[in-house]
Amino acid sequence: MYQESEQQFKDQVNAIELQKNEEINDREKECAAWKENIRVLEDKLNERDAQLQEVQKNAELRKQLFETKSDIESLRSEGNSLKTMLKDYNEQFCFRDKHNFLKF
């Protein structure tokens, strides 16, 4: 009787240990799955960061291009004004012969 009780107790302890080990294994699997999900999300975040940096770089380049176009237009307008002023000056103050008249 004592041996049977002792065996039952050992069987119960073994069953509890087996159940706890299964729970530990389940939790370790769950933890591994969470770690993998976190790794995937970090990869996606890094990819999005790279895309954002590219977009910001492109936006800066577009801004510089617009500024350059504006500068070119301003210079072109200023050049046209200077040509007109020079032409007016030549018409008013220079002789119209081919030696003194500046041509464009």
Side-chain angles (χ1 to χ4, degrees):
M1 176 98 159
Y2 174 75
Q3 286 182 337
E4 288 179 15
S5 294
E6 185 178 353
Q7 187 60 41
Q8 285 177 347
F9 178 75
K10 285 181 182 180
D11 289 344
Q12 288 176 349
V13 168
N14 286 338
I16 291 171
E17 286 180 354
L18 182 63
Q19 182 182 1
K20 293 295 179 189
N21 286 338
E22 288 175 359
E23 287 177 14
I24 289 170
N25 287 338
D26 289 345
R27 298 255 171 112
E28 286 175 345
K29 288 177 186 177
E30 187 178 334
C31 183
W34 276 102
K35 285 180 181 179
E36 178 62 18
N37 287 340
I38 289 170
R39 188 196 63 74
V40 168
L41 290 173
E42 286 175 341
D43 288 348
K44 287 180 180 180
L45 179 61
N46 291 336
E47 184 180 320
R48 294 288 172 105
D49 283 344
Q51 290 173 349
L52 177 60
Q53 288 176 359
E54 189 67 27
V55 166
Q56 289 172 334
K57 179 182 172 185
N58 288 341
E60 182 61 31
L61 289 173
R62 276 191 221 115
K63 179 182 172 189
Q64 290 174 0
L65 178 62
F66 178 76
E67 289 171 355
T68 301
K69 284 181 178 180
S70 295
D71 291 346
I72 289 170
E73 289 300 319
S74 294
L75 290 172
R76 186 174 287 141
S77 177
E78 190 176 323
N80 288 338
S81 295
L82 289 172
K83 282 181 184 179
T84 302
M85 288 172 55
L86 185 56
K87 187 175 181 182
D88 291 346
Y89 175 82
N90 282 330
E91 288 175 356
Q92 290 178 11
F93 300 107
C94 294
F95 295 107
R96 290 190 168 241
D97 66 14
K98 61 181 175 181
H99 297 293
N100 291 328
F101 185 69
L102 296 176
K103 295 182 181 180
F104 295 95

